[in-house]
């Protein structure tokens, strides 16, 4: 989670606040797009 968080300019903790694990990240991105 550290690398995706760094790429979008947020902390890993902030990212974990929105997704449970890295498996949920693609779904969140698709949903938000």
């Amino acid at each position: 989670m550290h690398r995706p968080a760094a790429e979008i300019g947020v902390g890993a903790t902030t990212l974990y606040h929105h997704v449970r694990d890295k498996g949920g990240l693609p779904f969140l991105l698709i949903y938000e797009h």
Side-chain angles (χ1 to χ4, degrees):
M1 289 299 272
H2 293 280
R3 184 175 176 189
E7 294 213 11
I8 60 173
V10 299
T13 306
T14 302
L15 199 52
Y16 274 119
H17 180 75
H18 296 284
V19 293
R20 186 172 218 172
D21 57 26
K22 67 181 177 182
L25 190 56
F27 295 108
L28 178 66
L29 295 172
I30 291 169
Y31 178 76
E32 289 297 321
H33 189 277

